[in-house]
Amino acid sequence: MTLMLLSIGSAWAQSPTYKSDFTDGQIIWTTADNVDDAVEAGWMVKGGNVKSKKDLKSRLLIDPETDEVAETAPFTSKTEFYVEKTYNSDNSKDVSLYIYVTGVSKIYFYAYNNGSSDRDLEVYVNDEKKASKTLSGEGDAKAGYTFVDLTKAANNIIRINGTNEIELTAIKTSTADFPSISATDATIAATEKGVEVTKNIAVTGANLTGSTLTATLSPAVAGLSVTLESNTISAGAISTTAVLHYTSSVNVPTGTTTLTLSDGTTSKNVTVTYSAHVEAVVLQDVTDAITWSIMDDVTGSDVKGDADQTEQVYANIASLTFASTFAADKLTVKANASNYLFRSSNKCSQSATHRFHTTVPGIVTVYFSNTGGNPARYAVVNGTQGTVGSENGGSNGANAVNDNFYVLAGDVTITGTDGGIRVYKIVFTPVTSVNATIGSCEWATFSSKYPVNVSGISGLKAYKVTGFSGSAITKEEVTGVVPANTGLLLNGEAKTYEIPVAATAGTAIADNKLVAVTEETTVSAGTGTNVNYVLVNNGGNAEFQWIGSNSATVPAGRAYLTLADGPKGAGARLFIDDTTGIDATFNDNVEMINDNVIYDLSGRRVEKPTKGIYIMNGKKVVIR
């Protein structure tokens, strides 16, 4: 049989008495008189589930305070649904109930399955299916309810279908705004190992029935958690912030988890996308000497890169295996789709980019070969091309060459020229200090391939030379970090000093006339207006002497002086403290002048020496 609600064409349904009695937000009831009227007038089914006032009453009782079906409850004089005469002659128990509602936001339908098999309760709004509930016919789960959300401003015609033996037991409407929790999806990325990052998510709730809000993440993610700045719901409302906290110690590909916000009845699921060291992979720090022998320690299938050249640590490449000594979590690799993160047949990385992070300066040694093409190819470290080239392709390390690069603390990036190289091994050797030796004159020039910190070294001072005045140089003390390849003049007791290498590059020293020598260099007397000088020990007094007509050999780690329009000529010199030496002894860690010119002990040039002691090419000689 079919039960229908609100027939616009029926005189009874159009009765102004009932229309005027519609009240929003009530539990839907029917009065006893209405039941009698409906049954007698044929508007309600006389058979099946609803036979009389008593049967109808027993199926529509609900406690308005608890929203639970009750044994007894008062009827209201209002009615919000009508029943139309549409029952079948065979009194079929299948029912369709039509309800007319306006100004309500939600309507609930309680039902009971009186049969032994599952039955469906379906709800249509304006002929569109909005809800479905399957009621079990077995066990204790026979009763249940479903509901639909409505547009308050609209006139809604609702049709309820129940298959055979579904008994509708109660109907309830609500005019309250829907309970809701609002929050948006979020993305959080840990970009530095061991450093917490946070992400705030604005959360609001309205018309809630719970007293507190909870926040949970499922599935759980290592290092990822959530807190609520406030979880108290007041008068059904809350405005708070959910704070995501993420600290990662490993490289994690992009993944998702669900943040569930709930007051116990209403919930909101938020998708959280997380990653660690994906946009900028952060590696474990390298502090000590380390060797990555790709050729000897890595085995497995060939692994190509991808179009995006995704950077990843070796440890995350599942198809590779590593020797126990291979620090796979401290070295990254990336390559395009045509090249190899690891190539088993050649025991190398091919045309790939490697990167590691060091906390100290040091020397990077790259063992590599050409991939087989021409011309010669070179290793490139931090943008600096090496000087050792490989012209031949190699396999398993054959034809490999190696080149050394000096690096500061920080990221170290290794690539190759002209389409790339095959890398077999990478070695990092830390350098924490460099030595500077001062001779008996207590002055020495100095330079380093690394930035150094010249402050705080007991008994040692460092100077730059800014020019000359009269017969002496002008100088200024230098402190703090001095950049690599900077010439300095050191003063201290005669001994070897250990100068710490700085972790930072330092700021260039302005107006410094000293030229660093990091590899042994032969220096001329000068070019143009520039005049070159080397430091010598003249009778225990340090002075800069013009190199002369030939050249001077300056060893690595020292410096020479270049002055525009400086004094030159036989015996030309500049004193450090404006004092003149008497007894020249050109030794003690000074630069050697190779001009074959003979000088007396006062520094004067001698054309025809007689018996005595003279100076030639920076050395004391005796003529008998």
Side-chain angles (χ1 to χ4, degrees), residues 36 41 47 100-101 171 219 226 236 267 332 344 348 352 358 382 424 436 492 494 504 508 519 526 530 553 580 583 613:
D36 290 340
Y100 169 88
V101 293
I171 304 171
V226 62
S267 62
T332 69
S344 180
C348 67
T358 172
N382 288 352
Y424 302 101
T504 57
E519 300 292 341
N530 290 329
T553 300
T580 303
D583 182 27
I613 300 174

Side-chain angles (χ1 to χ4, degrees), residues 85-96:
K85 179 183 178 183
T86 55
Y87 64 91
N88 298 324
S89 58
D90 62 356
N91 292 326
S92 170
K93 292 183 181 180
D94 290 352
V95 296
S96 288

Side-chain angles (χ1 to χ4, degrees), residues 193 283-292 327 329-331 355-361 409-410 412 427-430:
K193 177 179 66 69
L283 303 171
Q284 294 190 35
D285 293 335
V286 172
T287 302
D288 301 320
I290 193 169
T291 297
W292 294 281
D329 55 353
K330 295 186 178 182
L331 185 69
R355 186 168 67 89
F356 64 94
H357 182 84
T358 172
T359 60
V360 294
V412 177
V427 178
F428 174 70
T429 305

Side-chain angles (χ1 to χ4, degrees), residues 6 9 48 91 111 230 249 281 284 347 368 414 421 475 547 574:
L6 186 59
N91 292 326
S230 172
S249 59
V281 176
Q284 294 190 35
K347 297 293 186 180
F368 67 98
I414 302 167
I421 55 178
K475 63 185 185 302
I547 290 175
L574 290 167

Side-chain angles (χ1 to χ4, degrees), residues 411-465:
D411 281 355
V412 177
T413 302
I414 302 167
T415 58
T417 61
D418 300 311
I421 55 178
R422 289 175 178 167
V423 175
Y424 302 101
K425 183 164 63 173
I426 299 169
V427 178
F428 174 70
T429 305
V431 177
T432 58
S433 65
V434 293
N435 291 336
T437 300
I438 297 179
S440 61
C441 68
E442 298 185 346
W443 291 92
T445 60
F446 170 81
S447 63
S448 171
K449 296 178 180 180
Y450 304 96
V452 293
N453 191 338
V454 295
S455 292
I457 304 173
S458 179
L460 183 70
K461 288 187 177 182
Y463 299 87
K464 66 179 181 178
V465 176

